[in-house]
Amino acid sequence: MLVECYDKKGAEVYEIIIKQIFQDLVLGAAVDDLKAYVNPDDPVFILAIKMKKTSTVVEFGDVANFTYDKADDVTRILIDDENYLPNILNKLWRMFSRDEIYQPNRYMLELSGNQMDLENLVIDDPHSNLQRRIYDAIFRILPEGFKIIKDISTKDIVAVVATDELIMDAWVEKANEYIAELNNGM
């Protein structure tokens, strides 16, 4: 972790704030590296965070078995891993009304019609979940009043430039330098 600031005490304070927020949100193990730039004179705050690799997305068909009964015109879904049941139900409730989803028991779901295409429905995306948690941390870390934010994130790096004035090109360039350094492991 590197916090750049012309004021050494200010850098130390921001390092403590970042560590505390990461600890509160249990993000420490999910982050490879972090670079921050703080300059109250300009005023600008740049933050770039490299995420660790996450597992791949989980599709509905990975955690459930689908069968379509042509005679009854019903798709029966047997849940193999109930840990994903809350995610599954949330996704299905957004797609269908609750009345359209029959759940005769804890592990079985029934839907009218041929719903075999639901096997490819993404029910859990660890990368997006981690990204969302990191954005939550960033918005807690940013100085109060820095409402003008430019998001320049890449695939595995979440990066923002924040200020209470117009964002300068030099700040965006500095953030891009941080992204390049984090990509190269510097």
Side-chain angles (χ1 to χ4, degrees), residues 6 38-44 165 171:
Y6 68 84
V38 186
N39 189 346
D41 290 342
D42 273 346
V44 63
E165 299 177 356
W171 300 341

Side-chain angles (χ1 to χ4, degrees), residues 138-150:
I138 287 173
F139 290 120
R140 293 175 190 219
I141 293 167
L142 290 178
E144 185 113 6
F146 280 36
K147 302 294 184 201
I148 299 172
I149 300 169
K150 182 171 181 83

Side-chain angles (χ1 to χ4, degrees), residues 2-161:
L2 170 70
V3 178
E4 269 188 78
C5 183
Y6 68 84
D7 176 13
K8 187 177 179 189
K9 289 284 185 200
E12 290 172 3
V13 168
Y14 255 101
E15 191 171 323
I16 291 168
I17 290 169
I18 290 168
K19 285 180 179 178
Q20 183 64 50
I21 289 171
F22 273 47
Q23 183 178 355
D24 291 349
L25 298 176
V26 193
L27 280 173
V31 170
D32 263 343
D33 201 359
L34 174 147
K35 289 187 180 276
Y37 175 76
V38 186
N39 189 346
D41 290 342
D42 273 346
V44 63
F45 191 90
I46 300 169
L47 190 58
I49 301 170
K50 182 170 185 175
M51 303 184 313
K52 286 194 175 172
K53 297 288 182 210
T54 58
S55 52
T56 58
V57 297
V58 177
E59 292 182 349
F60 202 173
D62 297 336
V63 296
N65 290 311
F66 286 69
T67 55
Y68 173 63
D69 185 347
K70 206 173 205 178
D72 293 337
D73 193 32
V74 171
T75 301
R76 289 185 177 80
I77 305 165
L78 181 62
I79 308 297
D80 293 331
D81 189 343
E82 75 173 294
N83 291 322
Y84 292 100
L85 191 56
N87 289 7
I88 291 167
L89 289 172
N90 280 331
K91 295 268 184 176
L92 291 177
W93 288 335
R94 283 190 221 134
M95 297 171 69
F96 305 96
S97 72
R98 290 182 185 227
D99 295 339
E100 293 177 276
I101 303 166
Y102 178 60
Q103 189 174 8
N105 63 49
R106 189 174 181 161
Y107 301 103
M108 178 68 75
L109 299 172
E110 293 181 359
L111 295 165
S112 295
N114 185 347
Q115 304 296 338
M116 296 298 287
D117 57 331
L118 289 175
E119 285 182 307
N120 300 323
L121 179 69
V122 174
I123 56 165
D124 189 32
D125 185 351
H127 186 269
S128 291
N129 295 342
L130 177 56
Q131 223 173 18
R132 220 178 353 266
R133 290 177 51 222
I134 288 176
Y135 277 114
D136 180 27
I138 287 173
F139 290 120
R140 293 175 190 219
I141 293 167
L142 290 178
E144 185 113 6
F146 280 36
K147 302 294 184 201
I148 299 172
I149 300 169
K150 182 171 181 83
D151 183 0
I152 54 172
S153 299
T154 62
K155 187 175 189 257
D156 291 328
I157 297 175
V158 179
V160 297
V161 178

